[in-house]
Amino acid sequence: MEKNKIWQGNWTFIMAAAGSAVGLGNIWKFPYMTGTNGGGAFVLIYLLCILLIGLPVMMAETYIGRYGRKSPINSLNKITSDFSLNKIWVILGWLGAIAGIMILSYYSVFAGIAAAYIFNYIPATEIDPAQYSINYFSKFVSSPQKMILWHSLFIITTCVVVGKGVVEGIGKTISILMPTLFFLVIALCIYSSFSGDFSEAFNFLFNPDFSKINTSVVISAMGQAFFTLSIGMGAIMAYGAYMPKEQLIGKTVLIIVFLDTSVALLAGLTIFPIVFSNPELSVSSGPGLLFETLPVAFHSLPFGNIFASIFFILISIAAISSSVSLIEPFTAWIEEKGIFSRVQGVILLGGIAWLLGLGSVFSFNIWSAKTFFGFNFLSLMDFITNNLMLPMGGLTISIFVGWILNKEAVQKEMKIPKSLFKVFIFCLRVIAPLAISIIFLSYFFS
Ligand code: PFF
């Protein structure tokens, strides 16, 4: 790999990987999933999955990417050749590349709504802001035209950034925008904790009711842990390819996981105080939760409209910095293959994601009554990718790095102290595969 394709300094990799990890998954999905899955019990399992499965799998992915210094498919090709291993492991790269396009298709629909909300605010004279907000959201999603417009704009923006190349397009933008987002999330959380019902929100998030735990809650928490960290599909592997050689993988990944988890918890602590202090809003309202609650919070703030727009701009940016990593693994492979250029590749893949995304758009309106295997189109895509493909990818990566690769070689590259390395390998060998398999099996046989 050429020198200009290595990110300069340690901070760029952290920001890019955190940019991939921190996105709609934290600010939109985590709060609504917590709401629909019973609160604290879901959060507890989610945190356990992050620590025991997410952290080691992310380290393993980063290792493979940095070792191969290519797209995930070709990094796996290289590592299997160098260690004389069966090429079957390369399938992992393929599944990840496909999962990325599938996730992008519906990710873009919600990112489009967030972008549209930059221009939406509750009129100052409105006497029932919560009801206004709920009605606004349902009216917005009932219009396929509006949804398609914003979905298209988001896909196009993603393709433009990726088309420009990872170093120029992604590296630079993110190092400025991510710190701004962190700052605003903290500020909004402080505001919401003073103006809403903070203690009830805190209780809801951190006081688990164990009777709420069932296999569906556990599989959702695990899927969310994978989704939020962008692991199990090669996004982090693709970024690992640009990581400087001397950067310490363990320490770096720990920072990324910490940032990602903090943003999710802060988003929960921002949204739930508002929900609990407005009886019309409901914790279990599903994907619309963010869009129904935030405008209400901003409505009562001085200069609320301006802050609301800034906040939705930042959410859209967080979404872009994640969506680029969804399409990057496949694009990088196409570019390496040399049949198409990066730009042609990204147009092709963006087109496929756009088409597939129409199904998710229609789930809100003209297909709202249509079911596919008992799901609507959007939930089906969400289930297949988050609850099946990403954990499957994570399982395969754990087995590959934990059992198949040469431990000495991995430790030499990782430079983790021996005792911690043993914990890392134990998580990959035993905890992650066992936990993922048990969760899968219990879901399908229950
Ligand atoms: N981690 C992103 C989020 O939380 O919004 C979503 C995502 C990005 C998932 C990239 C998977 C991925 F490869």
Side-chain angles (χ1 to χ4, degrees):
M1 173 176 287
E2 319 98 76
K3 181 96 184 102
N4 66 1
K5 276 214 168 176
I6 305 287
W7 277 326
Q8 299 305 307
N10 291 350
W11 207 229
T12 315
F13 174 79
I14 295 180
M15 281 298 134
S20 166
V22 176
L24 295 179
N26 309 62
I27 302 170
W28 156 70
K29 203 159 187 207
F30 173 76
Y32 97 69
M33 299 261 302
T34 304
T36 47
N37 285 289
F42 172 85
V43 175
L44 181 72
I45 299 166
Y46 164 82
L47 291 175
L48 282 176
C49 289
I50 294 265
L51 196 69
L52 297 176
I53 309 177
L55 184 69
V57 169
M58 197 185 223
M59 286 164 66
E61 269 200 40
T62 313
Y63 163 76
I64 299 173
R66 185 165 78 179
Y67 180 93
R69 292 244 178 264
K70 290 197 170 86
S71 65
I73 296 171
N74 282 334
S75 285
L76 283 161
N77 245 325
K78 175 168 162 48
I79 206 164
T80 43
S81 300
D82 289 1
F83 287 83
S84 313
L85 303 170
N86 195 317
K87 286 283 171 200
I88 195 145
W89 296 102
V90 181
I91 294 179
L92 174 62
W94 281 104
L95 282 181
I98 295 167
I101 303 304
M102 288 170 71
I103 296 176
L104 177 62
S105 75
Y106 66 83
Y107 199 81
S108 159
V109 172
F110 286 99
I113 304 178
Y117 264 62
I118 296 173
F119 308 99
N120 156 45
Y121 51 86
I122 303 172
T125 49
E126 178 58 50
I127 40 170
D128 190 351
Q131 197 54 48
Y132 177 94
S133 198
I134 295 170
N135 294 344
Y136 187 92
F137 180 74
S138 66
K139 213 170 128 208
F140 185 91
V141 296
S142 65
S143 158
Q145 290 85 348
K146 269 196 204 157
M147 298 269 284
I148 291 174
L149 170 75
W150 288 100
H151 164 57
S152 314
L153 287 176
F154 188 83
I155 291 262
I156 293 170
T157 316
T158 303
C159 292
V160 170
V161 177
V162 179
K164 275 182 166 261
V166 170
V167 176
E168 273 306 302
I170 304 176
K172 285 195 181 142
T173 336
I174 289 171
S175 356
I176 312 165
L177 298 172
M178 292 316 288
T180 321
L181 178 77
F182 290 129
F183 174 77
L184 264 174
V185 172
I186 293 172
L188 195 64
C189 179
I190 294 173
Y191 166 74
S192 156
S193 56
F194 281 113
S195 63
D197 192 342
F198 186 74
S199 67
E200 184 148 355
F202 193 86
N203 214 18
F204 180 68
L205 280 170
F206 298 114
N207 195 359
D209 171 358
F210 292 100
S211 70
K212 296 256 165 71
I213 299 181
N214 57 38
T215 43
S216 147
V217 168
V218 177
I219 200 166
S220 302
M222 178 174 71
Q224 174 62 9
F226 276 91
F227 184 80
T228 192
L229 293 178
S230 306
I231 52 175
M233 56 137 291
I236 296 297
M237 216 184 272
Y239 280 4
Y242 306 104
M243 184 188 204
K245 181 95 194 101
E246 329 65 58
Q247 193 162 357
L248 294 175
I249 291 180
K251 208 167 118 191
T252 307
V253 167
L254 202 59
I255 297 175
I256 296 161
V257 170
F258 173 77
L259 289 175
D260 185 76
T261 309
S262 315
V263 175
L265 296 177
L266 281 170
L269 287 174
T270 304
I271 286 173
F272 288 117
I274 303 165
V275 177
F276 288 122
S277 60
N278 285 280
E280 291 108 313
L281 298 171
S282 146
V283 285
S284 53
S285 76
L289 184 67
L290 170 82
F291 304 105
E292 291 165 355
T293 51
L294 275 191
V296 178
F298 285 114
H299 176 71
S300 46
L301 258 181
F303 305 109
N305 298 344
I306 300 173
F307 283 121
S309 298
I310 297 177
F311 197 74
F312 279 109
I313 291 174
L314 281 164
I315 295 184
S316 309
I317 292 162
I320 292 271
S321 65
S322 300
S323 64
V324 292
S325 69
L326 284 166
I327 199 172
E328 174 60 25
F330 217 148
T331 311
W333 177 80
I334 290 185
E335 190 184 15
E336 283 163 5
K337 200 75 187 147
I339 307 171
F340 294 114
S341 68
R342 170 172 273 269
V343 173
Q344 287 166 332
V346 91
I347 293 174
L348 178 74
L349 296 172
I352 297 173
W354 181 84
L355 259 184
L356 212 53
L358 294 183
S360 297
V361 166
F362 297 151
S363 303
F364 282 101
N365 33 69
I366 52 180
W367 281 2
S368 60
K370 242 190 168 61
T371 55
F372 305 83
F373 308 102
F375 294 92
N376 71 26
F377 188 85
L378 170 64
S379 334
L380 181 71
M381 292 300 275
D382 184 40
F383 182 80
I384 295 180
T385 50
N386 292 342
N387 295 358
L388 301 182
M389 292 176 94
L390 299 189
M392 255 333 182
L395 175 69
T396 319
I397 291 165
S398 325
I399 295 173
F400 183 60
V401 176
W403 289 100
I404 309 291
L405 288 182
N406 176 304
K407 295 300 130 323
E408 283 72 46
V410 179
Q411 188 181 8
K412 219 170 125 213
E413 174 81 24
M414 291 257 199
K415 301 195 195 76
I416 309 178
K418 244 208 165 88
S419 52
L420 282 180
F421 185 75
K422 275 196 182 142
V423 178
F424 165 67
I425 290 294
F426 182 71
C427 284
L428 287 183
R429 285 194 157 184
V430 182
I431 299 194
L434 212 61
I436 300 173
S437 315
I438 292 176
I439 295 171
F440 270 146
L441 293 179
S442 57
Y443 185 80
F444 286 107
F445 292 105
S446 64

